[in-house]
């Protein structure tokens, strides 16, 4: 681990760019690009002049105008979602055409798994892909290229056409840096549902579990780190938005620190409305923490349920049982926290299966979202899924499209999927609910906050099976490399990691929580650490 470097060298002009929202999720939310803000701050602290454009809230014209007028030396794109890959490649090429002497970098979660591929698609116009956490790597990379462009290839985490540096480095201390929230042009654009406007914050980083469909753990080498309570409370105090999205993979995994943060917030008299994501077994283990957080403003909680039958759960390798999941829903209801749950639809589903899901969802009060089982690079299922991948178009890897053969004809699969989504949307966004939220919307409009209302209007035009079918027919300009030949059974997890695993010592967990995780995870033994 390394501290973030501070080089008093020559200042460069760096433009940090976040791509557009993904159609199917952009309806209900638009959240600040927290990772890019952290990386931007690290570059700023290393003495560089930094600006940030978020294409979720601005358009391509804004970006190209900035390139032409400000003429940055370095353009750094964030690529967290595979579905944004073609857009980022084209923007990177476009930027190089306008500023041939600029240095083009791509970083972020998804970029870290397909670094070589990105350089190939770039045809020489992408100078470097920087893998892993960017707070340490970016200042080192900027320092290296100030003196010699070729030196980029030796920086930790860097992959260039000339070579590849050592493994990316972890940030030594998450307290060291705060996101450059001031660089966003219009903070009123960011919202999630009725938390409008909404800021984002990170309390912890990483996940110690190892679910087969998820890449959160492979990115961070199954590590788990925390920010200090003092740092979190200071950051929260500076946030102006009334809504706050806690981006942790599994919020309040440890009860003690969760309670400590909550009590410190209460003592400071900070009042916000919160949204967080966690696991059912964690909620059941730490009920008192969630009860306390309800008192200080916890409004929404996303619980990963994934399946409503045991067979489905074991398919996604979640060692939790249905009774525990349903018990967690009961507890959340009793705490009066609104719950969002996600169900993973399998391409193998027939009409009957969709119907059962619709019926089940209508019986429960929770908000249900439905995504499609999608293996992608960085997940174990990318290596082990026995079914054939039917498309390599990056845009289809947004967990809203089927990338494996469907049992139903494809158009019927999407009809059923969209019908289910619409039934679920109408359940929550129907006229009865709208009547209830009318007062709320009116209050927001008075304050000029229209994001939530726009999302209600837009949802009908976005969810349309014909549009999803049409997405499959679009020619793919860029395609991802296919998965390697399938292995049956276990894979060497080491081959999946972006940050190499450092074992138990990399997890800031008390022994009882470490044991609880080990009892509920399904993966193989952790590889021996270096
Ligand atoms: C919070 C979260 C969300 C939030 C908000 C995200 C946002 N702000 O837009 C919500 C719930 C809305 C969300 C939605 C979705 N998400 Co999400 N999400 C996450 C989660 C849990 C944490 C992301 C985060 O904010 N981390 C904290 C910040 C600080 O880290 P970071 O952004 O990764 O940035 C660091 C590095 O990546 C890097 N970095 C980032 N940018 C750059 C740029 C440069 C130049 C450099 C050098 C480095 C760099 O440095 C940063 C600091 O260390 C991740 C899992 C994970 N742990 O990564 C999944 C994850 C990213 N999401 C995922 C998915 C699939 C989705 C959805 C597509 C799901 C859906 N269909 O509903 C949507 C798409 C949203 C969209 N963009 O339109 C997948 C991504 C799969 C993929 N590889 O494409 C992930 C990995 C989870 C998983 N299941 O595997 N998500
Ligand atoms: S618990 Fe599983 S699904 Fe959730 S972030 Fe961790 S590995 Fe991913």
């Amino acid at each position: 681990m390394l501290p973030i470097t501070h080089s008093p060298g020559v200042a460069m002009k760096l433009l940090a760019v976040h791509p557009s929202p993904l159609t199917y999720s952009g309806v209900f939310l638009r959240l600040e690009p927290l990772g890019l803000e952290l990386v931007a701050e690290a570059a700023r602290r290393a003495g560089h002049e930094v600006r940030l454009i978020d294409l979720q809230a601005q358009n391509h014209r804004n970006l190209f105008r900035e390139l032409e007028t400000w003429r940055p030396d370095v353009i750094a794109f964030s690529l967290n979602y595979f579905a944004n890959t073609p857009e980022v490649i084209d923007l990177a090429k476009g930027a190089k055409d306008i500023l041939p002497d600029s240095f083009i970098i791509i970083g972020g979660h998804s970029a870290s798994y397909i670094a070589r591929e990105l350089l190939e698609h770039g045809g020489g116009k992408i100078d470097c892909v920087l893998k892993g956490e960017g707070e340490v790597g970016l200042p080192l990379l900027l320092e290296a290229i100030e003196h010699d462009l070729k030196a980029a290839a030796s920086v930790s985490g860097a992959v260039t056409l000339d070579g590849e540096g050592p493994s990316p480095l972890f940030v030594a201390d998450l307290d060291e840096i705060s996101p450059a929230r001031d660089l966003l042009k219009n903070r009123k654009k960011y919202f999630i549902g009725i938390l409008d406007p909404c800021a984002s914050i990170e309390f912890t980083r990483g996940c110690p579990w190892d679910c087969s469909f998820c890449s959160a753990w492979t990115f961070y080498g199954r590590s788990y780190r925390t920010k200090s309570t003092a740092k979190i409370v200071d950051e929260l105090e500076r946030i102006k938005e009334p809504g706050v999205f806690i981006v942790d993979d599994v919020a309040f995994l440890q009860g003690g620190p969760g309670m400590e943060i909550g009590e410190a917030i209460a003592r400071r008299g900070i009042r916000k409305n919160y949204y967080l994501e966690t696991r059912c077994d964690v909620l059941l283990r730490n009920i008192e923490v969630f009860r306390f957080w309800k008192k200080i403003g916890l409004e929404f909680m996303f619980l990963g349920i994934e399946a409503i039958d045991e067979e489905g759960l074991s398919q996604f390798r979640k060692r939790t049982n249905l009774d525990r999941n349903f018990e967690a829903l009961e507890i959340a209801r009793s705490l009066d926290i609104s719950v969002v749950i996600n169900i993973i639809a399998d391409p193998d589903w027939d009409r009957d299966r969709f119907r059962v899901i619709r019926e089940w969802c209508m019986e429960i009060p929770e908000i249900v979202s439905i995504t499609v089982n999608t293996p992608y690079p960085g997940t174990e299922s990318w290596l082990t899924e026995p079914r054939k991948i039917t498309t390599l178009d990056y845009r289809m890897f947004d967990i809203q499209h089927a990338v494996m053969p469907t049992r139903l004809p494809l158009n019927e699969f999407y009809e059923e999927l969209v019908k289910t989504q619409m039934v679920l949307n109408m359940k929550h966004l129907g006229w009865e609910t709208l009547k209830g939220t009318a007062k709320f919307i009116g209050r927001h409009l008075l304050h000029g906050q229209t994001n939530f209302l726009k999302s209600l209007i837009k949802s009908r035009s976005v969810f349309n099976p014909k549009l999803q079918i049409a997405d499959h027919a679009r020619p793919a300009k860029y395609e991802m490399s296919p998965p390697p030949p399938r292995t049956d059974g276990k894979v060497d997890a080491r081959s999946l990691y972006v940050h190499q695993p450092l074992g138990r010592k990399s997890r800031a967990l008390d022994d009882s929580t470490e044991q609880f995780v080990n009892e509920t995870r399904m993966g193989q033994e952790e590889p021996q650490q270096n």
Side-chain angles (χ1 to χ4, degrees):
M1 302 205 189
L2 258 198
I4 296 150
T5 53
H6 303 257
S7 65
V10 193
M12 287 190 278
K13 291 200 283 186
L14 180 141
L15 182 63
V17 185
H18 190 279
S20 307
L22 304 179
T23 325
Y24 299 91
S25 49
V27 181
F28 301 109
L29 58 99
R30 188 186 302 119
L31 287 160
E32 65 180 302
L34 199 65
L36 191 61
E37 289 171 5
L38 282 166
V39 166
E41 180 62 16
R44 196 157 67 170
R45 281 185 31 185
H48 303 286
E49 199 183 335
V50 181
R51 291 189 186 176
L52 192 154
I53 286 205
D54 179 8
L55 296 171
Q56 298 178 101
Q58 293 175 268
N59 58 37
H60 284 192
R61 269 202 316 275
N62 299 133
L63 168 63
F64 285 106
R65 198 176 313 126
E66 191 78 351
L67 291 173
E68 274 154 11
T69 54
W70 193 50
R71 307 189 71 76
D73 305 300
V74 178
I75 302 129
F77 292 91
S78 180
L79 178 55
N80 271 354
Y81 299 98
F82 282 119
N84 283 122
T85 306
E87 181 193 12
V88 168
I89 295 169
D90 280 340
L91 290 175
K93 287 178 169 174
K96 192 68 150 193
D97 289 341
I98 294 174
L99 299 170
D101 293 332
S102 63
F103 191 85
I104 310 273
I105 305 169
I106 303 182
H109 189 99
S110 289
S112 302
Y113 297 103
I114 53 164
R116 287 252 153 250
E117 232 164 283
L118 286 170
L119 294 174
E120 277 159 29
H121 293 311
K125 293 184 178 176
I126 297 168
D127 295 293
C128 177
V129 176
L130 192 56
K131 298 195 289 184
E133 298 182 337
E135 293 100 325
V136 179
L138 187 62
L140 291 175
L141 178 63
L142 296 176
E143 199 183 344
I145 62 172
E146 267 171 14
H147 309 294
D148 172 14
L149 291 182
K150 296 260 178 222
S154 56
V155 173
S156 287
V159 183
T160 75
L161 288 170
D162 297 321
E164 187 165 344
S167 294
L169 297 165
F170 281 117
V171 175
D173 179 0
L174 292 184
D175 279 2
E176 222 187 297
I177 199 156
S178 303
R181 294 199 163 86
D182 59 298
L183 290 181
L184 281 190
K185 286 266 180 316
N186 186 354
R187 297 196 54 93
K188 288 202 156 172
K189 292 266 188 186
Y190 300 93
F191 77 108
I192 179 159
I194 60 172
L195 299 191
D196 180 11
C198 185
S200 299
I201 193 167
E202 190 183 32
F203 290 179
T204 64
R205 191 177 282 186
C207 177
W209 276 277
D210 54 3
C211 304
S212 57
F213 60 90
C214 179
S215 55
W217 61 282
T218 65
F219 187 80
Y220 294 113
R222 273 197 74 224
S223 63
Y224 179 81
R225 287 161 294 158
T226 58
K227 277 192 185 176
S228 71
T229 299
K231 173 78 178 175
I232 291 169
V233 177
D234 282 349
E235 254 192 54
L236 267 178
E237 203 158 44
R238 284 200 300 274
I239 288 176
K240 295 198 179 66
E241 289 81 354
V244 175
F245 182 107
I246 302 168
V247 301
D248 300 14
D249 287 312
V250 184
F252 307 144
L253 162 51
Q254 290 197 105
M259 196 60 120
E260 191 186 297
I261 299 165
E263 285 169 351
I265 291 172
R267 275 198 304 275
R268 274 287 176 104
I270 300 171
R271 186 68 208 184
K272 305 274 183 201
N273 294 317
Y274 301 93
Y275 181 114
L276 56 78
E277 307 197 348
T278 195
R279 290 172 51 112
C280 291
D281 48 7
V282 168
L283 167 62
L284 291 175
R285 190 166 186 258
N286 298 321
I287 297 174
E288 289 316 311
V289 179
F290 289 89
R291 194 190 308 280
F292 188 83
W293 269 81
K294 169 68 193 174
K295 282 197 222 143
I296 60 166
L298 175 57
E299 292 283 335
F300 294 95
M301 181 157 67
F302 180 98
L303 286 174
I305 294 266
E306 331 312 349
I308 60 165
D309 58 10
E310 298 286 357
E311 192 196 333
L313 275 184
S314 63
Q315 183 187 351
F316 302 121
R317 229 186 43 201
K318 282 214 151 177
R319 194 196 289 173
T320 175
N321 64 45
L322 283 183
D323 291 347
R324 299 284 284 163
N325 283 356
F326 295 139
E327 195 186 335
L329 291 183
E330 283 295 336
I331 295 288
R333 283 171 206 153
S334 74
L335 297 178
D336 195 25
I337 300 171
S338 302
V339 174
V340 184
I341 62 170
N342 185 62
I343 298 287
I344 305 182
D346 196 274
D348 197 45
W349 282 13
D350 57 14
R351 286 192 186 276
D352 242 19
R353 189 65 195 264
F354 275 107
R355 183 184 49 74
V356 169
I357 293 290
R358 279 194 294 273
E359 285 169 5
W360 180 80
C361 292
M362 291 310 284
E363 280 165 18
I364 56 165
E366 281 72 30
I367 302 171
V368 187
S369 79
I370 184 156
T371 53
V372 182
N373 182 11
T374 307
Y376 45 76
T379 64
E380 241 186 83
S381 21
W382 179 246
L383 304 179
T384 55
E385 172 59 59
R387 285 171 286 182
K388 192 172 143 263
I389 300 290
T390 51
T391 171
L392 293 169
D393 183 342
Y394 292 102
R395 295 168 302 182
M396 299 295 124
F397 288 75
D398 64 349
I399 67 176
Q400 290 298 326
H401 290 85
V403 304
M404 295 188 289
T406 50
R407 176 184 292 259
L408 288 168
L410 195 58
N411 59 333
E412 289 180 34
F413 176 82
Y414 282 129
E415 273 166 24
E416 286 294 325
L417 181 71
V418 170
K419 188 167 155 192
T420 312
Q421 273 157 342
M422 286 320 286
V423 165
L424 300 178
N425 289 351
M426 287 321 289
K427 174 178 142 191
H428 309 293
L429 307 178
W431 290 114
E432 277 311 302
T433 320
L434 266 188
K435 265 193 271 166
T437 48
K439 233 168 58 203
F440 172 88
I441 293 175
R443 221 172 41 230
H444 271 62
L445 290 179
L446 275 180
H447 293 101
Q449 280 305 135
T450 55
N451 294 314
F452 177 57
L453 181 62
K454 281 187 194 146
S455 79
L456 292 184
I457 297 166
K458 219 168 120 191
S459 74
R460 276 193 161 270
S461 60
V462 167
F463 291 99
N464 176 345
K466 292 204 180 90
L467 292 180
Q468 263 157 308
I469 287 285
D471 290 341
H472 283 267
R474 288 182 301 179
K477 190 165 168 191
Y478 305 106
E479 290 193 325
M480 63 169 71
S481 306
R486 293 291 191 261
T487 50
D488 45 351
K490 307 247 155 142
V491 293
D492 178 7
R494 214 172 255 278
S495 68
L496 293 165
Y497 291 123
V498 170
H499 282 276
Q500 284 309 303
L502 299 175
R504 174 73 181 96
K505 66 173 194 258
S506 69
R507 289 187 287 278
L509 295 174
D510 53 51
D511 287 344
S512 93
T513 308
E514 171 79 3
Q515 193 188 337
F516 158 70
V517 169
N518 280 334
E519 280 162 7
T520 45
R521 79 186 189 96
M522 303 271 303
Q524 50 203 302
E525 284 297 298
E526 197 160 41
Q528 288 304 304
Q529 41 185 291
N530 300 321

